[in-house]
Amino acid sequence: MALRKIVLDRVLTPYIAFVVIAGLGWIAYAPGLHGAFLFDDFANLPAIGATGRIDNWPAFWRYTTSGTADPTGRPLAMLSFLLDARDWPADPYLFKRTNLVLHLLNGFLLWQLLRRLGHLLAPASALVSRVEGAALIGSALWLLHPLLVSTTLYIVQREAMLPATFALLGLLAWLRGRALLVSGRAAHGAIWMLAGITAGTLLGTLSKANGVLLPIYVLLLESVLLRDAAPLPATAKRRYYGILAVLAGLPSLAVFLYLGWEGWHGIAYGIDRPWTLSQRLLTEPGVILDYLRLLWLPHPFTAGLFNDQVRAAQGFWSPPSTGVAIIALLALMALAVFIRRRAPIVSLALLFFLAGHLVESTTIALELYFEHRNYVPALLMFWPLAWWLAGLDLRSPSHAACGGWRVPRLALTAIVLAGLFTMTRQNAGLWGNVRDQAVLWAELNPDSPRAQAYAAQTEINSGHPERAEMRLRRAIAVHPDETQLALNLVAAQCAMGAVTAQALHDAETSLRTAREGGVLLAGWFERAFNMSDGRRCAGLDLAAAERLLDAAFANPNNARRGRMQDLFYLRGLVALKRQDGAGALQALVQSIDHQPRPGAALSYAALLGSHGYPREGIALLDHYEAIKRHGGGAGLNMAAVNAWVFARQGYWTHEFGHLRSVLMDDVRDLNDKAGTSP
């Protein structure tokens, strides 16, 4: 009977409890599984079908090495998307379902980590049930938190979720190896630690660059918790700290040196952003404090994916909140170090959170703010609260707190979890409704041009261009230089049948002066050229569209940001509209010259051929073949690997040869029609 009770209390009951928590997580997220692809999904996922269906090894390797984010290209994250589709377009439900399964798996791994740490801190048998309760509550608070919805249901952010998986697996393996070392099984322990930290770091980094932070997490775990909670025998100390220095210390030092180099280089030579790196470093303390606010004061609806309203600080006291935030963050860091012995769980939660932001919130010139950056840093954030709710003492982790609070703490636990569940389900429901999501995000982010433009696009697509026009007029009055607002206003008016001269003038002005906005230019202009016959949108003829394109060419920021390839491509489309094959060839050649890529050359040549200019198509292929021989290597990154894969397979040789053959046939047909010889 005693054995049966131990098995039930210590094994089955905790697992049954976690299954219930995971079930609640699934129910909370279920309304969002039927949402659509969004933003960066379209920039990454179409690669699944870029060179045909992935049903053979050559296609597999072409796709897996095609990533462009980070020097690594994030191939493991790319690979994970093949679980959901082998061709494009695809069903977003399958991707979102896999993301949710991964989120629940991460919750399970977090629970296991908190259990093991808890039993090291409070090994007394009388505290087993409390430690198990703290682990369950801590993992449930993280699993059900509404701030993580914008990571879990944003398909492409699987790239942010996988590093959490490998970090948790790496930490669990490290703890296992440490325990074996303490028990005298040094060789086995070293193997576990080596495998955990190397595989965890490598696989995490191949998913996203912040996977490189695992060694720093290990150092924090050792210095804050393990050194005192699970002291090493004298015979094992030297060996263990040698392993720790090599496997965790040296990689951590490399990370800090790289971040320091990025900071020096960015400040000394500048960055391609509307703000300087110094301004970014001044801004991020306030951003991190806002993340903490959202974690500890959760909301059912947040800013979501729109954060362009976050403005870079101009100086230490400009705005004044900048200096306050920097001082507050430094004080928080000092507090975390100061209480390391007095409240180690609180100290670890804070330091782990700050360490988790080292890659994305310091010297690398990424955008200023994104909610999904909290997915890994928040893993241990709620463990101190869970420890207290389970009736354990934060100042003396191996002791129970006052026993008279048991019922109130259980009630408070239920209330908090119910609140998080409700807010997460509400937020997930919003992610399942594209139109409501766009409108609410616009309301929550009134100063975000991206949010207003996205809401306007949604209203146009849903048959309400008049609402989009009103929204955009209000936004343009505040942000007259935002291209995305001005161009969407033209689109809204075209959807109503006619565009005004004022809207075209505003669009021209914004295109001439905007600091950003080049990303949407190619797609918008392609649609505008298709409507330039004047029948579908009075006032938008080819001459008007070309004036807008000339304004974009006149903007020096477009040249600085590498948009010239797109602009020359668009000029080529104008020439084709005017039936000017020579002009189209000239513009498309200039586009290729700005960024020689085989895929672009192939599509441009095919475009010329499809418009009746096969000779020009062949000339463009000849030009690309000539200039590619003088191009340098792609460097030590995934782009170089991808180029090698394509070259090894002879993919481009085959595709270029096939297209050249088709174009030659078209030339012969033209010659036959003209009555001349080839």
Side-chain angles (χ1 to χ4, degrees):
M1 290 294 292
L3 179 61
R4 181 179 178 183
K5 187 176 187 303
I6 291 174
V7 171
L8 181 63
D9 291 347
R10 299 190 182 182
V11 180
L12 293 181
T13 300
Y15 278 89
I16 292 171
F18 183 81
V19 169
V20 172
I21 291 170
L24 290 173
W26 186 277
I27 294 170
Y29 275 91
L33 295 179
H34 299 281
F37 294 112
L38 293 170
F39 307 113
D40 286 352
D41 292 339
F42 293 106
N44 292 272
L45 299 179
I48 294 173
T51 62
R53 180 175 175 80
I54 303 174
D55 54 7
N56 56 77
W57 284 112
F60 171 84
W61 290 115
R62 291 196 299 269
Y63 165 73
T64 307
T65 61
S66 66
T68 57
D70 300 343
T72 67
R74 304 177 184 176
L76 201 58
M78 298 283 290
L79 181 61
S80 74
F81 294 129
L82 294 182
L83 295 171
D84 310 305
R86 305 291 175 85
D87 206 348
W88 189 262
D91 182 0
Y93 173 84
L94 301 175
F95 292 86
K96 291 178 181 287
R97 183 182 63 186
T98 301
N99 275 25
L100 179 52
V101 170
L102 182 61
H103 183 54
L104 298 180
L105 172 63
N106 287 339
F108 174 81
L109 294 174
L110 176 60
W111 170 51
Q112 292 296 318
L113 178 65
L114 297 184
R115 290 179 76 196
R116 296 192 187 187
L117 293 176
H119 288 305
L120 289 174
L121 285 169
S125 58
L127 299 177
V128 168
S129 62
R130 293 175 185 262
V131 169
E132 291 286 356
L136 282 167
I137 296 169
S139 59
L141 291 171
W142 180 84
L143 192 66
L144 296 174
H145 201 287
L147 188 63
L148 305 185
V149 171
S150 59
T151 306
T152 306
L153 292 180
Y154 191 10
I155 294 169
V156 76
Q157 288 312 325
R158 191 178 303 175
E159 297 171 345
M161 302 172 72
L162 285 169
T165 308
F166 296 118
L168 290 166
L169 287 170
L171 291 173
L172 287 168
W174 184 271
L175 290 177
R176 171 68 173 163
R178 193 182 191 279
L180 289 171
L181 190 68
V182 169
S183 68
R185 301 170 65 185
H188 287 82
I191 291 172
W192 272 94
M193 288 186 284
L194 175 64
I197 202 165
T198 55
T201 303
L202 177 62
L203 296 175
T205 305
L206 291 177
S207 302
K208 194 175 185 180
N210 58 357
V212 78
L213 296 175
L214 174 57
I216 297 176
Y217 301 150
V218 170
L219 288 180
L220 287 175
L221 211 60
E222 175 63 34
S223 60
V224 177
L225 279 189
L226 299 179
R227 186 171 63 179
D228 295 329
L232 295 160
T235 55
K237 278 187 177 181
R238 184 173 181 179
R239 180 180 289 109
Y240 176 76
Y241 285 119
I243 294 172
L244 184 69
V246 172
L247 296 182
L250 291 179
S252 298
L253 178 61
V255 170
F256 282 107
L257 289 175
Y258 176 78
L259 292 174
W261 182 87
E262 281 283 336
W264 172 83
H265 188 271
I267 292 173
Y269 296 99
I271 55 176
D272 189 19
R273 291 288 187 181
W275 29 260
T276 67
L277 188 59
S278 298
Q279 290 171 336
R280 183 180 203 274
L281 293 173
L282 289 171
T283 306
E284 286 305 305
V287 169
I288 290 175
L289 291 179
D290 194 61
Y291 292 155
L292 284 171
R293 176 185 65 84
L294 291 173
L295 286 167
W296 284 104
L297 298 173
H299 304 281
F301 307 115
T302 60
L305 308 185
F306 297 106
N307 304 289
D308 52 319
Q309 75 275 19
V310 177
R311 304 300 180 191
Q314 302 302 304
F316 192 90
W317 295 112
S318 178
S321 58
T322 302
V324 174
I326 293 172
I327 294 170
L329 186 62
L330 291 174
L332 191 65
M333 294 169 63
L335 175 66
V337 174
F338 179 73
I339 63 174
R340 182 178 65 81
R341 295 293 180 86
R342 301 182 183 185
I345 296 177
V346 177
S347 174
L348 179 63
L350 288 173
L351 292 174
F352 190 97
F353 174 80
L354 295 173
H357 282 289
L358 280 172
V359 168
E360 295 178 302
S361 299
T362 56
T363 58
I364 299 177
L366 305 172
E367 290 202 36
L368 298 175
Y369 190 115
F370 274 116
E371 292 176 2
H372 66 256
R373 293 176 183 169
N374 292 282
Y375 191 84
V376 176
L379 283 169
L380 302 184
M381 179 57 61
F382 308 111
W383 191 32
L385 174 60
W387 197 263
W388 179 81
L389 289 171
L392 293 162
D393 194 337
L394 287 168
R395 291 172 298 178
S396 300
S398 60
H399 295 82
C402 179
W405 285 79
R406 181 177 178 83
V407 173
R409 291 187 196 201
L410 286 174
L412 180 58
T413 301
I415 292 170
V416 171
L417 291 177
L420 293 177
F421 170 86
T422 302
M423 286 187 282
T424 295
R425 187 168 172 84
Q426 288 177 315
N427 199 358
L430 188 68
W431 276 77
N433 187 316
V434 174
R435 183 185 177 281
D436 289 351
Q437 183 185 54
V439 172
L440 182 59
W441 277 348
E443 292 178 3
L444 293 173
N445 301 285
D447 295 325
S448 166
R450 293 179 188 172
Q452 303 307 318
Y454 177 57
Q457 291 169 3
T458 304
E459 288 168 333
I460 293 170
N461 294 335
S462 62
H464 297 287
E466 71 286 350
R467 298 179 187 174
E469 184 188 29
M470 293 176 60
R471 176 186 302 282
L472 292 165
R473 286 188 181 280
R474 292 194 300 268
I476 288 173
V478 181
H479 304 284
D481 59 342
E482 282 288 343
T483 302
Q484 57 192 322
L485 298 175
L487 294 183
N488 276 296
L489 178 59
V490 173
Q493 292 187 348
C494 279
M496 294 188 289
V499 63
T500 64
Q502 183 62 47
L504 289 172
H505 177 267
D506 291 343
E508 186 175 345
T509 301
S510 69
L511 285 165
R512 196 179 300 276
T513 60
R515 298 190 65 179
E516 293 188 285
V519 175
L520 55 80
L521 288 182
W524 187 89
F525 271 105
E526 286 178 342
R527 293 190 295 273
F529 294 154
N530 289 333
M531 294 188 294
S532 61
D533 55 11
R535 291 192 296 271
R536 282 175 286 178
C537 180
L540 183 63
D541 55 16
L542 187 58
E546 195 168 8
R547 284 196 300 273
L548 295 178
L549 182 58
D550 289 340
F553 263 101
N555 188 337
N557 293 311
N558 284 331
R560 180 172 59 88
R561 295 179 185 279
R563 304 296 182 194
M564 296 306 290
Q565 182 181 36
D566 287 343
L567 294 179
F568 276 111
Y569 161 71
L570 293 170
R571 182 158 282 175
L573 293 185
V574 172
L576 289 175
K577 276 282 185 181
R578 296 190 182 281
Q579 299 182 349
D580 178 8
L585 173 62
Q586 181 183 9
L588 294 176
V589 162
Q590 288 177 287
S591 177
I592 288 292
D593 287 344
H594 276 85
Q595 192 176 5
R597 292 184 292 117
L602 200 69
S603 64
Y604 290 177
L607 179 68
L608 288 166
S610 67
H611 280 76
Y613 302 105
R615 294 185 184 87
E616 287 77 4
I618 293 172
L620 189 141
L621 292 180
D622 291 340
H623 178 78
Y624 174 76
E625 293 286 349
I627 65 172
K628 77 172 185 179
R629 299 191 187 99
H630 305 291
L636 186 61
N637 53 34
M638 188 55 70
V641 175
N642 183 251
W644 178 85
V645 167
F646 273 82
R648 185 80 172 83
Q649 295 179 4
Y651 180 86
W652 294 120
T653 300
H654 174 270
E655 293 297 313
F656 274 68
H658 175 71
L659 180 58
R660 187 180 291 274
S661 176
V662 172
L663 293 173
M664 288 295 294
D665 289 341
D666 290 344
V667 170
R668 282 190 286 269
D669 290 342
L670 288 177
N671 289 337
D672 290 342
K673 290 178 181 178
T676 62
S677 58

